[in-house]
Amino acid sequence: MNVREATREDLPGIARVHVDTWRTTYSGIVPDEYLAHLSYSDRQQRWEALFIEAAADTTKFILVAEDDGQIVGFANGGPARETDLGDSEIYAVYVTAAYQGRGHGRRLIGRLATLLRDAGFKSAVVRVLAHNPSRKFYEALGGRHVSSEEISIAGVALEEMVYAWPSLRALLQNSTHN
């Protein structure tokens, strides 16, 4: 297993992981019709825009996890969209179902937290759907539930929970020692 910063050549793999994990993770949470219409090409275009943005901003990062010669997960993060709960944000962490539970998520978070710390950030937040079973992952890493918000996906109101780490040092410690 290898975790590294993404390259432009990784974008098709990131798009594949993004679509596939949404379909498995959010089945029964997000409307099935919405999940069925997700496309690799649309997600790849979105990731190309995010890649260009991250390349121009030294405080935004996109990472990939590779295993068996393929991309099996990714994470991205940077400045918090709302700074009242933390100064940096983990925007997304996804690992394909077949590779979950093998440490890929922890390694992605650990590397991302290191990059965020090195960029001068002190704390972090992550937003996760309340019914996402993977939210326990963030709790295991010491994330504290600090607020909830209502969001809409495909016209359905969903609760999004915000977890915070007041110290990136604690997140780093929890991602490498648990």
Side-chain angles (χ1 to χ4, degrees):
M1 172 184 35
N2 182 38
V3 171
R4 60 174 174 76
E5 290 195 56
T7 66
R8 186 176 293 279
E9 290 75 29
D10 296 323
L11 300 179
I14 292 171
R16 179 187 48 76
V17 169
H18 202 170
V19 169
D20 292 350
T21 56
W22 264 65
R23 288 181 175 155
T24 57
T25 303
Y26 299 132
S27 178
I29 300 171
V30 172
D32 291 338
E33 184 177 343
Y34 179 83
L35 295 174
H37 286 94
L38 293 174
S39 80
Y40 297 136
S41 62
D42 287 347
R43 286 295 161 148
Q44 184 173 337
Q45 286 179 348
R46 181 175 172 203
W47 279 103
E48 286 176 7
L50 291 171
F51 183 81
I52 290 167
E53 186 180 312
D57 185 339
T58 60
T59 64
K60 292 186 177 183
F61 308 96
I62 302 172
L63 305 174
V64 293
E66 296 175 305
D67 205 331
D68 298 329
Q70 66 178 340
I71 294 172
V72 299
F74 70 88
N76 71 317
R81 291 174 278 188
E82 297 175 19
T83 59
D84 57 326
L85 300 173
D87 61 355
S88 75
E89 184 170 344
I90 300 163
Y91 304 136
V93 178
Y94 290 103
V95 175
T96 57
Y99 288 87
Q100 290 177 6
R102 298 184 188 185
H104 294 75
R106 279 186 187 277
R107 292 201 51 202
L108 283 163
I109 289 285
R111 180 74 179 126
L112 183 57
T114 298
L115 291 168
L116 292 169
R117 180 202 62 202
D118 292 351
F121 295 107
K122 305 292 183 219
S123 59
V125 297
V126 68
R127 289 168 168 73
V128 59
L129 292 178
H131 293 293
N132 178 347
S134 298
R135 73 182 172 84
K136 302 279 186 215
F137 169 72
Y138 301 107
E139 293 170 3
L141 292 174
R144 292 182 304 120
H145 175 233
V146 293
S147 72
S148 294
E149 304 165 353
E150 186 176 292
I151 64 165
S152 177
I153 298 177
V156 174
L158 299 167
E159 179 186 1
E160 187 174 60
M161 299 174 72
V162 180
Y163 288 91
W165 292 268
S167 165
L168 276 172
R169 183 179 13 224
L171 177 56
L172 276 164
Q173 199 168 34
N174 290 336
S175 65
T176 57
H177 296 299
N178 283 344

